[in-house]
Amino acid sequence: ALLSPAAPALAHGVAAHANNTAAVAQQKPFGIDGEPGKVVRILPVAMTDDMRFTPDVINVTRGETIKIALSNNGAIMHEMVLGSAADLQQHAEMMRTFPTMQHEAAYMAHVSPGASGEIVWRFNRAGVFDFACLIPGHSEAGMRGRIRVLDAPQATDNRSEE
């Protein structure tokens, strides 16, 4: 991934890959890079210009490797970034400071209008985590959601019970 020279990559939490070496999977509080050959489920998620993800609540079982298949059904760029609420807030602030910053990690996908993308992620830690589109203004307008990683499989339809 190429990083904008104006963007402090390490402060952003993204390792610089100036020498184009392969990134090493790094454990995060919300999981670790998934291996495509170990995907157990594909979850379609739509992104729209009304600043929404559909669905906006995803339930998975701890240990599952999931492919989140993203479709940008809008006319503008959107992204999905997984993380804790605090991490996403910090990332959003960085995006406001450096709106043209180029960055890439296994827990994020940038999807052009009318295109598709994917995140393959292994949810190896139980808990409730967040995702958002951190393009300036999008998350603030409501383009965010939640991932619930449960210890045991439960009957679920991916809708919020709240």
Side-chain angles (χ1 to χ4, degrees):
L2 299 175
L3 298 167
S4 165
L10 296 177
H12 184 62
V14 177
H17 298 289
N19 59 4
N20 290 327
T21 59
V24 175
Q26 187 175 23
Q27 179 69 53
K28 299 285 186 190
F30 51 92
I32 193 166
D33 303 26
E35 295 178 39
K38 295 186 177 181
V39 169
V40 297
R41 268 197 301 153
I42 298 172
L43 296 173
V45 175
M47 301 182 286
T48 60
D49 291 348
D50 64 355
M51 304 303 159
R52 296 291 181 265
F53 288 102
T54 304
D56 63 356
V57 175
I58 298 171
N59 294 306
V60 300
T61 301
R62 186 172 52 86
E64 282 188 310
T65 298
I66 302 294
K67 179 194 289 186
I68 301 171
L70 299 162
S71 298
N72 183 344
N73 299 332
I76 59 175
M77 176 71 80
H78 292 294
E79 68 178 8
M80 176 187 263
V81 180
L82 307 177
S84 69
D87 288 341
L88 294 175
Q89 180 63 34
Q90 181 181 17
H91 184 131
E93 289 171 14
M94 182 72 71
M95 291 286 291
R96 280 191 290 277
T97 304
F98 302 103
T100 61
M101 177 174 56
Q102 297 292 312
H103 54 278
E104 187 174 323
Y107 54 87
M108 61 179 65
H110 311 278
V111 186
S112 297
S116 60
E118 66 183 44
I119 296 173
V120 175
W121 197 253
R122 183 166 181 251
F123 294 94
N124 62 355
R125 299 213 168 145
V128 178
F129 307 103
D130 296 285
F131 60 88
C133 178
L134 300 179
I135 293 172
H138 292 205
S139 177
E140 295 83 350
M143 197 165 187
R144 55 188 172 271
R146 184 149 284 167
I147 297 175
R148 293 189 294 217
V149 183
L150 310 169
D151 269 326
Q154 298 178 6
T156 174
D157 61 1
N158 280 337
R159 285 187 297 196
S160 174
E161 295 150 9
E162 301 164 57

